[in-house]
Amino acid sequence: IPDIIADKHFCSQSETIFSRKDLKIDFIGKLENLPQDWESMNQQAGTKMEIARYNSSEKYDYANYYTKELVELVAKRYRDDITALDYEAEYRQLLKQVSARYKESQ
């Protein structure tokens, strides 16, 4: 489903971030780097805000929910995000992990 007609929860992040020409993006943080990125934002803003933790859940390996075919479908749909937000290494690692799991089950 193209971003133009997709529910906002399924739109690509790059569309959400870069579609507004009036915004000047100078920093994009990543959830997986939150403590470091938060510190960087604090330094840039001259603040010392703390991160609060609410509604946390148990850790799980999201890769267990993927098949190789699903990895490729998601990568095709969100290719712009993978490229623009520098997730190529994560994509390749997920594909490798899922492929290895598939080989083990054969």
Side-chain angles (χ1 to χ4, degrees), residues 30 62 79 82-83 85-96:
K30 295 182 178 182
Y62 70 91
R79 171 53 52 197
I82 292 169
T83 302
L85 304 174
D86 194 26
Y87 278 101
E88 191 66 37
E90 288 82 356
Y91 156 66
R92 294 204 181 283
Q93 178 59 36
L94 176 61
L95 188 57
K96 182 179 175 182

Side-chain angles (χ1 to χ4, degrees), residues 15-41:
E15 171 67 18
T16 302
I17 295 168
F18 301 118
S19 65
R20 293 210 26 215
K21 302 301 181 199
D22 59 322
L23 294 178
K24 294 189 190 248
I25 308 297
D26 63 357
F27 180 82
I28 297 175
K30 295 182 178 182
L31 188 59
E32 59 271 21
N33 300 331
L34 186 58
Q36 299 90 344
D37 288 348
W38 190 262
E39 180 58 34
S40 178
M41 290 186 304

Side-chain angles (χ1 to χ4, degrees), residues 22-79:
D22 59 322
L23 294 178
K24 294 189 190 248
I25 308 297
D26 63 357
F27 180 82
I28 297 175
K30 295 182 178 182
L31 188 59
E32 59 271 21
N33 300 331
L34 186 58
Q36 299 90 344
D37 288 348
W38 190 262
E39 180 58 34
S40 178
M41 290 186 304
N42 269 327
Q43 288 177 2
Q44 288 180 23
T47 61
K48 292 187 178 195
M49 295 177 65
E50 297 290 326
I51 300 174
R53 188 172 194 147
Y54 300 102
N55 198 21
S56 61
S57 59
E58 292 181 32
K59 290 186 178 188
Y60 65 93
D61 186 355
Y62 70 91
N64 292 332
Y65 297 94
Y66 280 86
T67 62
K68 184 178 177 185
E69 293 77 20
L70 183 55
V71 171
E72 294 297 348
L73 282 171
V74 171
K76 182 178 177 183
R77 169 62 175 92
Y78 296 102
R79 171 53 52 197

